[in-house]
Amino acid sequence: MAHICGRLLVLHGLRWNVGNGTRIRFWQDAWVADVGPLVNLAMAPIPEAILHDWVADAINSDGSWNWSRFRFLLPHNAVLMIAAINPPTPNSNADQFYCGSSNSGMFTAKTAYNLILGNVVQDEEVR
């Protein structure tokens, strides 16, 4: 049971805030809001050469998204959501986790409990 609950929390509770893009896996991590891991949306098999890319690998030398690297694999709505995210830059802060199930981004015992029950989380901490 603990293993199932822990997996639920990781898959549905934790999200990434993109900084320099060097800690977030482009396809496997949940970094695009309300989408989850992009690998689950792929419309075709993801080539092995890019399957384990970091988000930082998906930008051009001028700092823009390298659309030709991934656009053909994703549905249009996912591409639009990526377009709304500023591409990572080397001089940005490190990528950071936050709790996507909480308006404040803080993870508390109440957040975990509500995630397990499938409830909407309020921004109150357990005391």
Side-chain angles (χ1 to χ4, degrees), residues 26-123:
F26 185 89
W27 295 102
Q28 287 114 359
D29 292 330
W31 62 278
V32 180
D34 301 322
V35 171
L38 294 173
V39 68
N40 297 334
L41 300 178
M43 299 183 306
I46 301 166
E48 186 66 31
I50 65 170
L51 181 60
H52 302 288
D53 274 3
W54 302 102
V55 171
D57 295 329
I59 59 169
N60 291 310
S61 58
D62 67 0
S64 63
W65 288 113
N66 184 352
W67 297 109
S68 64
R69 192 166 179 92
F70 57 86
R71 180 179 54 207
F72 67 99
L73 292 166
L74 293 169
H76 185 68
N77 65 326
V79 172
L80 291 176
M81 293 183 86
I82 293 170
I85 299 170
N86 287 329
T89 57
N91 59 345
S92 293
N93 292 330
D95 305 317
Q96 295 181 332
F97 271 125
Y98 70 95
C99 182
S101 301
S102 167
N103 291 332
S104 69
M106 294 182 63
F107 186 80
T108 64
K110 184 174 183 175
T111 308
Y113 180 77
N114 281 307
L115 271 172
I116 291 166
L117 295 179
N119 296 335
V120 175
V121 177
Q122 302 299 316
D123 279 338

